[in-house]
Amino acid sequence: MFSRHSHLVVPKQTSVLNFPATMSPPSTAIVYDQHGPPDTVTRITKIPPVEMNENEVCVKMLAAPINPADINRIEGVYLVLPPTPAIAGWEGVGEIHSVGSAVMSLSPGDLVIHAAYLSGTWQTYVVEDQSLWYKIDKNTPIEYAATVSVNPLSALRMLEDFVALKPGDTIVQNGATSIVGQCVIQLARIRGIHSINIIRDKPDSDKIKEKLIKLGATKVFTESELEVKGVTNLLGDIPKPSLGLNCIGGKAANMVVKFLKQGGTMVTYGGMSKKPITISTTYFIFKDISLKGFLLQEKYLDEAQYRCSIDHLLALVRAGILQYEMEMVPFKDFHIALEKAMGKQGSQRKQILKF
C-alpha cells in the first residue's frame, strides 16, 4: 500500500466533474517497488481516487524536478529513504484543485509548493493536509516555482547561516555549474560578495567560464589551473575567501580549502565524486579552518523563515535577477528525463517533469 501522502494523480482525459467534491480524481504516478537503477526500477501506474478529509486539499501537480537526491533515493543510497513501494519525487509546484470543508487559507486555482519536504511529487494529483502547502505568487514561472525549495534555498541558507558575510568579502566553491553553484554566484553578486568558482576541465571550459562570469562570477578556474603552488596568488587584490562550499569531495574539496583565509570555513553539502575529503593537518593547525556539513532537511527552518526565504528567491526570479538553465520534459517521457538527469545523454540542464 502507498502512504496517504504519496498516492494521488489523474489521467489528463478524466473529467473532474465525474467525481464528488470529497474525492480526489484517479491518479497516475511514477513509482518504484524496490531500490535500484532509476531507469529500470521506475514505472508509471494508475492509482484510484482517495477520499479527502475536511482539512485536506487536492493539488494538481504542474511540474516537478529530478534532483540528484531523487535519484539517490530510488537507488537506495540516500540517508533517508521512504518505504517501498514509493512514489518518487521530493519537490514540485501545483495548483489547488479542490479543498476540504474546513480549509480557509487556500482556494481552487491557487499556485502552491510544499511547505515541508515530503516524498511523492512525481504524480499528477496529491492529497495532503492544508498546512503542508504554501501559496505563492501566480506570476511565478512554474519551472522556477518547482525548483526553488531545494537548490536555490540551499544556496541562500549556506551563504547566510555559516559565516557573517559582508560586501567586499569573498567565497569560493566547486561545482560552480550546478544549480546551487549558479545561485550562489548570483546571490553573492547581489550582496556585493566576490565569488571564486572551480569547474571541471572540459573541451568547452572557456564557454562555461563566460556563462558563469555573465551570471556574476568574479573569477572562474578549471581544476588543472589550480594545480600550482600558492593558488591564492591568483586572486590578485581580491580578499581571501572566508567561506568555501564543497559539493564534490576528493581533490576538488582540497582546492576549496587551499583558497580559504585564516579561520575560514568549508561547508560540504554533497559528494558527487564519491571520494572522501582528506585535508592536510597543516590547514587545521596553522590556518585554523573549520569543516562543516549542510543538509537542508536538517535545517528545521520555522514557517516564517521558510516563507521569507522562498518569497525572497521567487521575487528575484520574477525580477529576472535569479536565473538558471532547465529543460521541461513531458511526464510521459520521464525515462528520457531520468537518463539526462543521470548524465547518460550529456545534458547539463536541470530536468523538470511537466504534467
Side-chain angles (χ1 to χ4, degrees):
M1 295 291 292
F2 293 106
S3 69
R4 183 167 184 79
H5 297 300
S6 57
H7 69 212
L8 293 177
V9 238
V10 80
K12 291 184 179 178
Q13 71 273 18
T14 303
S15 170
V16 297
L17 299 178
N18 295 334
F19 301 94
T22 55
M23 299 293 292
S24 73
S27 56
T28 305
I30 299 172
V31 304
Y32 54 101
D33 300 301
Q34 61 186 21
H35 296 118
D39 51 353
T40 60
V41 301
T42 53
R43 60 184 174 85
I44 289 183
T45 191
K46 305 287 186 181
I47 301 173
V50 173
E51 185 175 356
M52 296 168 54
N53 71 38
E54 63 179 8
N55 292 309
E56 289 183 323
V57 297
C58 178
V59 175
K60 181 182 186 295
M61 295 302 294
L62 300 177
I66 301 178
N67 291 315
D70 295 320
I71 293 172
N72 291 158
R73 288 186 186 96
I74 297 171
E75 292 172 331
V77 298
Y78 200 73
L79 182 63
V80 180
L81 299 173
T84 55
I87 295 177
W90 206 257
E91 184 183 21
V93 62
E95 183 179 82
I96 297 292
H97 170 267
S98 57
V99 302
S101 59
V103 175
M104 299 298 175
S105 59
L106 296 170
S107 303
D110 286 346
L111 193 65
V112 292
I113 61 173
H114 261 154
Y117 298 102
L118 298 172
S119 60
T121 57
W122 294 3
Q123 54 181 320
T124 52
Y125 280 77
V126 179
V127 170
E128 286 172 350
D129 190 89
Q130 61 177 325
S131 64
L132 300 179
W133 295 98
Y134 175 46
K135 180 180 175 179
I136 62 172
D137 192 311
K138 282 187 177 182
N139 293 317
T140 304
I142 63 168
E143 65 270 28
Y144 284 97
T147 55
V148 69
S149 62
V150 174
N151 292 159
L153 185 56
S154 293
L156 179 63
R157 296 270 45 97
M158 287 191 291
L159 286 175
E160 294 190 349
D161 293 350
F162 292 93
V163 174
L165 297 169
K166 60 184 184 300
D169 285 346
T170 308
I171 65 101
V172 57
Q173 66 170 342
N174 57 34
T177 58
S178 68
I179 299 297
V180 173
Q182 293 177 55
C183 290
V184 164
I185 290 170
Q186 294 169 86
L187 293 172
R189 181 202 68 214
I190 293 167
R191 290 162 168 74
I193 296 167
H194 304 289
S195 66
I196 309 304
N197 301 274
I198 304 168
I199 62 174
R200 288 179 293 178
D201 287 271
K202 291 184 176 182
D204 60 346
S205 291
D206 288 340
K207 289 184 178 179
I208 294 173
K209 285 184 179 183
E210 289 177 10
K211 282 186 177 180
L212 296 182
I213 289 172
K214 284 182 179 179
L215 288 179
T218 309
K219 288 185 178 292
V220 184
F221 300 105
T222 62
E223 292 180 348
S224 63
E225 288 174 331
L226 299 180
E227 293 175 352
V228 296
K229 290 184 178 180
V231 294
T232 56
N233 294 330
L234 299 173
L235 297 178
D237 58 357
I238 299 171
K240 293 180 182 179
S242 54
L243 176 66
L245 304 177
N246 163 52
C247 67
I248 298 178
K251 184 176 69 172
N254 278 275
M255 292 179 176
V256 170
V257 170
K258 287 180 180 180
F259 275 106
L260 291 178
K261 74 174 188 179
Q262 185 80 19
T265 297
M266 182 176 78
V267 177
T268 293
Y269 66 98
M272 293 171 60
S273 70
K274 298 182 179 179
K275 295 180 180 179
I277 297 173
T278 306
I279 306 298
S280 170
T281 305
T282 301
Y283 291 106
F284 295 101
I285 295 176
F286 296 104
K287 293 190 70 175
D288 191 29
I289 66 162
S290 298
L291 302 182
K292 297 186 178 182
F294 174 86
L295 178 62
L296 184 60
Q297 291 167 244
E298 298 300 323
K299 287 299 293 181
Y300 297 116
L301 296 177
D302 63 33
E303 185 176 348
Q305 285 179 309
Y306 176 85
R307 295 190 175 204
C308 182
S309 297
I310 293 297
D311 287 345
H312 172 64
L313 291 166
L314 291 182
L316 294 177
V317 166
R318 291 191 296 272
I321 297 172
L322 182 63
Q323 302 176 351
Y324 42 88
E325 293 184 339
M326 295 170 281
E327 181 177 355
M328 301 282 277
V329 179
F331 180 57
K332 64 182 178 64
D333 296 329
F334 79 95
H335 272 301
I336 295 174
L338 269 176
E339 288 185 356
K340 289 183 177 181
M342 295 169 69
K344 293 187 175 183
Q345 294 192 24
S347 177
Q348 298 296 315
R349 296 183 177 183
K350 170 76 74 177
Q351 297 297 297
I352 313 292
L353 299 174
K354 184 178 181 180
F355 299 94

